[in-house]
């Protein structure tokens, strides 16, 4: 059992974006499970009128996925904690595919997230899993990609060299190839809309 004080020593997330309350299972390099208790005191419900319906209290889907990702983050960072995102390595979300929402989550629900590491290539991790309330599945994730990058890279100034003038070894891999030669032509840019004179 990993409690919130230990989670805060591993992840940089803090209120209101620390979205798991405990980790109930952790098998490094394989899987993790964690709990999120949803309450009516969540910041997303601030200002909710007294006339709000039950549907208005559905937990935001994006926040539910983010909560699931925090369990994945503990799985990745447990053996190399990084509570200060400005140092060490930062977690970056690469993308999500085949995410399905099965039923809304509401205050009073305790969500149990299950995360499995499907594949790892270097510092890139591919996860799959689901979230349940009781025995009922509320969310499934077919694939979620996360990568770790040095935090210092996020502070680096943007590149100023144009892909047309950069050498094949430094040009973007999407615009040039050291094997085929010059960069590919850029896609056409549409004309700007003409303003309505009226």
């Amino acid at each position: 059992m990993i409690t919130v004080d230990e989670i805060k020593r591993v992840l940089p997330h803090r209120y209101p974006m620390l979205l798991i309350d405990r980790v109930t299972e952790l098998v490094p390099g394989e899987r993790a499970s964690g709990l999120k208790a949803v309450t009516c005191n969540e910041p997303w419900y601030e200002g909710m009128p007294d006339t709000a319906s039950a549907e208005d209290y559905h937990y935001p889907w994006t926040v539910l996925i983010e909560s699931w990702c925090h369990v994945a983050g503990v799985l990745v960072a447990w053996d190399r904690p990084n509570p200060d995102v400005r140092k060490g390595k930062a977690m970056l979300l690469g993308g999500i595919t085949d995410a399905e929402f099965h039923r809304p989550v509401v205050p009073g629900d305790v969500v149990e997230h299950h995360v499995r590491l499907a594949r790892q290539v270097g510092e890139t991790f591919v996860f799959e899993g689901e979230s349940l309330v009781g025995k009922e599945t509320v969310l499934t994730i077919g694939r979620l990609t996360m990568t770790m990058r040095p935090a210092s890279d996020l502070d680096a100034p943007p590149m100023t060299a144009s892909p047309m003038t950069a050498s094949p070894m430094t040009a973007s891999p999407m615009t040039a190839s050291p094997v085929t030669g010059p960069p590919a032509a850029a896609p056409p840019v549409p004309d700007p809309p003409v303003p309505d004179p009226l």
Side-chain angles (χ1 to χ4, degrees), residues 7-180:
I7 292 169
K8 290 173 76 172
R9 288 195 283 269
V10 175
L11 299 180
H13 305 79
R14 297 295 182 266
Y15 176 87
M17 291 306 294
L18 179 57
L19 299 173
I20 51 173
D21 300 313
R22 66 181 54 172
V23 173
T24 55
E25 179 189 35
L26 177 65
V27 180
E30 291 185 26
R31 65 184 185 274
S33 297
L35 299 177
K36 166 60 182 171
V38 177
T39 76
C40 59
N41 291 317
E42 306 273 353
W44 350 106
Y45 303 130
E46 183 179 4
M48 190 73 74
D50 292 342
T51 56
S53 67
E55 289 77 18
D56 293 327
Y57 285 92
H58 291 177
Y59 199 66
W61 293 123
T62 52
V63 181
L64 183 65
I65 291 176
E66 176 75 13
S67 179
W68 187 93
C69 289
H70 289 191
V71 177
V74 171
L75 178 56
V76 167
W78 181 250
D79 59 349
R80 48 179 174 177
N82 186 31
D84 185 351
V85 74
R86 297 163 298 181
K87 300 177 181 176
K89 294 200 173 180
M91 296 177 190
L92 303 175
L93 176 64
I96 305 172
T97 57
D98 300 324
E100 293 185 41
F101 306 103
H102 301 284
R103 81 114 158 120
V105 171
V106 295
D109 284 341
V110 176
V111 182
E112 185 175 4
H113 300 300
H114 298 280
V115 176
R116 294 177 294 280
L117 179 61
R119 188 174 181 198
Q120 178 180 352
V121 179
E123 292 289 283
T124 300
F125 304 84
V126 179
F127 302 101
E128 61 185 16
E130 59 281 325
S131 300
L132 294 87
V133 172
K135 295 183 178 180
E136 188 175 5
T137 301
V138 296
L139 167 70
T140 54
I141 302 285
R143 177 182 299 176
L144 184 140
T145 305
M146 177 190 297
T147 188
M148 303 288 284
R149 292 292 183 265
S152 57
D153 287 357
L154 303 178
D155 291 330
M159 290 180 48
T160 55
S162 165
M164 299 299 285
T165 59
S167 73
M169 296 308 291
T170 59
S172 164
M174 298 301 290
T175 59
S177 165
V179 176
T180 60

